[in-house]
Amino acid sequence: MRRAPALVALVVGLLTSAACDGGGGGSGSGVGTDEGEATVEWVVDGDTLRLTDGRVVRLVQIDAPAARSDCYGRDATRALIDAAPKGTRVTLERDPALDAVDPYDRLLRYVLVDGRNVNVQLVARGAAAPYFFRNE
């Protein structure tokens, strides 16, 4: 299966990143910080969340079809809704090797629900593809 090497590369990258920064996701409340816990207000599309404190999070190192214009966009959005529905408490983790925000001022983060990496879950489910900015 062709998708397996990409999934393995993503998982190895995520594990390496966690090992490099001690695996910590910050200990803050998430309000006014870039790390820690926060609450999902709504799912924007298959790789973007809006939090109750107004921040927008782009799930890092994955790419999902656009909800309105791409084939399977609604399915990808539904997959993220299933993984992190409105009201879900999430933990945000920054990858120190990557940018903190994108050109749209969205936080670039790994999103964890009950200790499970949603970014990896979406790739494993086929709702998103691994995406490595500038092949990094």
Side-chain angles (χ1 to χ4, degrees), residues 89-110:
R89 293 291 293 170
V90 297
T91 301
L92 305 177
E93 289 189 358
R94 179 169 183 241
D95 188 329
L98 302 174
D99 293 338
V101 296
D102 70 4
Y104 305 101
D105 289 325
R106 299 177 296 188
L107 297 176
L108 297 172
R109 299 291 183 270
Y110 300 108

Side-chain angles (χ1 to χ4, degrees), residues 38-43 49-52 84-90:
T39 303
V40 174
E41 184 173 350
W42 77 74
V43 171
L49 298 170
R50 181 169 176 90
L51 306 175
T52 57
K86 179 179 182 171
T88 300
R89 293 291 293 170
V90 297

